Amino acid sequence: MGEPVKVGIVGCGKISEQYTATLTKLPGLVLYAVADLDPARALATATETGARSLSVDDLVDACDLVVNLTIPAAHTEIALRAIAGGKDVYGEKPLAATLDEAKTIVAKGSGVRLGCAPDTVLGTGFQTARHHLDAGLVGRPAAAVATMVTAGPEPWHPDPDFYYRPGGGPLLDMGPYYITALVTLLGPVVSAIGAASRTRDERVIGSGYRQGERLPVTTDTHVTGVLTHASGALSTLIMSFDGAASRAPNIEVHGELGTMIVPDPNRFDGDVLVHRVGGAWETLPVTAGYRDTGRGIGVYDLVTAPRPRASGELALHVLDVMESLLRSAATGRAETVESTCERPEPVALQSLV
């Protein structure tokens, strides 16, 4: 083996704790440096992990791969800065704040390896579902239903403002997990038709130092629609901050021979259940995916896989699907999804930590 890949993290917010927990354990990678707009926060992360606290420019110069954990509005700036330095980039979802910015990142990043979260689909939950789906266990997939219903983040999040502004909402927040999972299972999407609404013009923060403060709501908080996959399968999507909870499966896939329940796409593991025609519900054995892993496994996959699975191409397509769905909700007509992507390769069952 050659020298380990030097990884630098830009953005030391809450999500970085999950990344550092994974990256510090993966073979062939070393967490070399961290950077943040708040020097004290960067220093705290550096002290905890043994990495160096550097400026963004110095981090880009010193590292081989930049993990971009900044807020979505800064994703493009940091990604392009790393690409200009000839460095590989892996970013948190979404790839960029807008589809046009995402296209710029992908175009300028053609000479480097480019990856993007979510990488939850690389865990044993989704890869086991993918394995059995590809083996024909439920026959040809005809449809899928993806459901995410919550009361919104304001009961627990101390600063939930951005969830209720343009660029926020349940689809752009949680949609990347669900749509990435649907594309991984059923392939790329060619068209979308949607509808959207909001039930309230303001929300009340339920915890933290701003408890009781009222927030204006300027984006839709319930988005639903139907995605047509190139395979012919249809996926129904429900993303909502306007309920309390749902007992519907996060994702279920219906085929001519049976129905499969797929785990929560915000997790790496979970049971896969199948109900075959004339049978009963049964839990399937774990057969594929990275075992016992967490956020950041996509960085390892980006470095080691012949064709990265959590790729920039896939992330761009997912963002295109979401923007097409929102555009359809505004226009009232079906919208063509202009981009496409290769269906990611499956992951063999393996343990790295």
Side-chain angles (χ1 to χ4, degrees):
M1 294 181 64
E3 291 293 317
V5 175
K6 293 180 180 178
V7 177
I9 290 178
V10 179
C12 297
K14 191 67 176 176
I15 193 67
S16 69
E17 297 173 8
Q18 297 183 49
Y19 274 84
T20 58
T22 302
L23 292 172
T24 52
K25 298 175 183 176
L26 292 172
L29 304 178
V30 59
L31 181 55
Y32 187 80
V34 297
D36 193 275
L37 284 174
D38 182 349
R41 191 158 60 178
L43 183 59
T45 300
T47 301
E48 185 177 326
T49 61
R52 304 179 183 188
S53 177
L54 301 175
S55 69
V56 172
D57 288 337
D58 287 344
L59 181 147
V60 170
D61 289 340
C63 294
D64 306 308
L65 187 152
V66 174
V67 176
N68 185 2
L69 305 184
T70 57
I71 61 172
H75 283 186
T76 299
E77 176 190 353
I78 299 301
L80 293 180
R81 194 180 304 187
I83 290 168
K87 305 304 171 74
D88 298 331
V89 182
Y90 183 91
E92 244 304 315
K93 57 83 181 173
L95 181 60
T98 68
L99 182 61
D100 286 341
E101 289 181 4
K103 289 177 178 177
T104 299
I105 292 172
V106 170
K108 291 185 178 293
S110 60
V112 302
R113 288 177 289 198
L114 182 63
C116 186
D119 52 5
T120 45
V121 290
L122 305 182
T124 53
F126 264 85
Q127 289 299 317
T128 292
R130 163 81 182 265
H131 171 85
H132 290 292
L133 194 69
D134 288 354
L137 190 62
V138 300
R140 183 176 58 189
V145 181
T147 305
M148 192 286 300
V149 177
T150 75
E154 71 274 11
W156 55 268
H157 199 297
D159 294 296
D161 308 65
F162 68 95
Y163 289 101
Y164 296 108
R165 295 171 180 162
L171 180 65
L172 292 176
D173 176 43
M174 293 300 294
Y177 296 101
Y178 287 81
I179 297 172
T180 299
L182 291 170
V183 172
T184 297
L185 293 173
L186 302 174
V189 175
V190 295
S191 69
I193 186 165
S197 65
R198 72 189 73 166
T199 58
R200 285 162 278 172
D201 292 328
E202 63 179 20
R203 299 272 177 144
V204 180
I205 298 176
S207 64
Y209 69 104
R210 298 170 62 194
Q211 185 173 1
E213 183 178 331
R214 295 182 177 274
L215 296 175
V217 176
T218 57
T219 193
D220 288 326
T221 49
H222 183 98
V223 181
T224 187
V226 177
L227 312 178
T228 300
H229 296 263
S231 64
L234 302 177
S235 288
T236 301
L237 195 69
I238 301 169
M239 300 280 111
S240 184
F241 287 161
D242 286 339
S246 174
R247 296 184 67 179
N250 296 104
I251 296 179
E252 55 186 355
V253 180
H254 303 291
E256 55 193 350
L257 302 179
T259 290
M260 180 181 293
I261 292 179
V262 182
D264 183 348
N266 200 20
R267 294 179 52 191
F268 287 85
D269 56 9
D271 290 334
V272 180
L273 288 81
V274 68
H275 192 303
R276 285 174 271 202
V277 174
W281 287 110
E282 57 183 299
T283 302
L284 300 176
V286 173
T287 54
Y290 291 110
R291 287 186 183 272
D292 303 318
T293 192
R295 299 183 196 279
I297 190 64
V299 178
Y300 175 85
D301 191 79
L302 181 70
V303 170
T304 60
R307 195 174 76 190
R309 298 172 178 93
S311 67
E313 176 194 46
L314 172 58
L316 185 148
H317 181 61
V318 168
L319 184 56
D320 193 2
V321 171
M322 293 191 296
E323 287 204 3
S324 297
L325 195 58
L326 292 174
R327 195 164 58 249
S328 172
T331 64
R333 59 176 180 265
E335 295 286 337
T336 298
V337 178
E338 298 293 344
S339 68
T340 189
C341 66
E342 294 289 334
R343 187 179 178 221
E345 294 291 331
V347 179
L349 186 62
Q350 57 191 283
S351 298
L352 298 175
V353 296

